[in-house]
Amino acid sequence: MDTTVTVTKDVERFRELSRGARPGSNSYVALLGLSVFESNALLRAVTKGFAWKTFDRLVENVGLPAEQIAAAIDLPKRTRARRKIEGRFRADESDRLLRLAVSMAGCSICSPAITTPLCGG
């Protein structure tokens, strides 16, 4: 089993932002590849629907298979295929993707058996 972990530029940016983060800084959006940190602008982005690339970036940044990320946000395989073709998520799907990024960023305890970029991998 390959345990090589790649720390992406997004993860490096997240770590950097997190070190000096103030409450409400929304540094977790870096895991989605976003550069919108202000809460009102982030709300507008969710309402518009995230671009497909946010899903790909989260998958890459947290080091989990796309199927697991999709299951975590309750996105069936066929819906995922449609969103990829359309290039954009709906608002409710974007909200779930954002919430997952918050959860992944907030994980402070990682299993020693699992090495991911977010766990210092």
Side-chain angles (χ1 to χ4, degrees), residues 58-92:
L58 186 62
V59 167
E60 179 182 9
N61 291 327
V62 301
L64 293 174
E67 294 76 20
Q68 286 185 337
I69 299 293
I73 64 170
D74 194 26
L75 192 69
K77 189 175 183 177
R78 290 179 63 191
T79 302
R80 192 173 84 205
R82 277 196 312 276
R83 296 298 178 259
K84 186 173 183 176
I85 291 168
E86 294 167 0
R88 186 159 300 281
F89 289 95
R90 293 184 341 197
D92 62 317

Side-chain angles (χ1 to χ4, degrees), residues 3-121:
T3 58
T4 305
V5 175
T6 303
V7 177
T8 66
K9 288 182 182 182
D10 293 335
V11 171
E12 288 176 3
R13 192 166 118 221
F14 165 72
R15 288 177 179 172
E16 176 78 19
L17 291 166
S18 295
R19 279 193 278 274
R22 298 180 319 273
S25 68
N26 300 329
S27 59
Y28 53 84
V29 302
L31 299 177
L32 296 167
L34 299 175
S35 57
V36 175
F37 295 96
E38 196 271 325
S39 295
N40 288 332
L42 188 55
L43 179 59
R44 285 190 297 274
V46 169
T47 301
K48 179 181 177 183
F50 289 152
W52 172 260
K53 68 180 181 177
T54 58
F55 180 85
D56 285 339
R57 297 284 280 273
L58 186 62
V59 167
E60 179 182 9
N61 291 327
V62 301
L64 293 174
E67 294 76 20
Q68 286 185 337
I69 299 293
I73 64 170
D74 194 26
L75 192 69
K77 189 175 183 177
R78 290 179 63 191
T79 302
R80 192 173 84 205
R82 277 196 312 276
R83 296 298 178 259
K84 186 173 183 176
I85 291 168
E86 294 167 0
R88 186 159 300 281
F89 289 95
R90 293 184 341 197
D92 62 317
E93 296 159 344
S94 298
D95 180 61
R96 293 193 304 263
L97 198 55
L98 183 65
R99 289 171 187 262
L100 182 59
V102 171
S103 296
M104 297 302 291
C107 289
S108 58
I109 301 173
C110 294
S111 167
I114 301 171
T115 307
T116 70
L118 295 178
C119 300

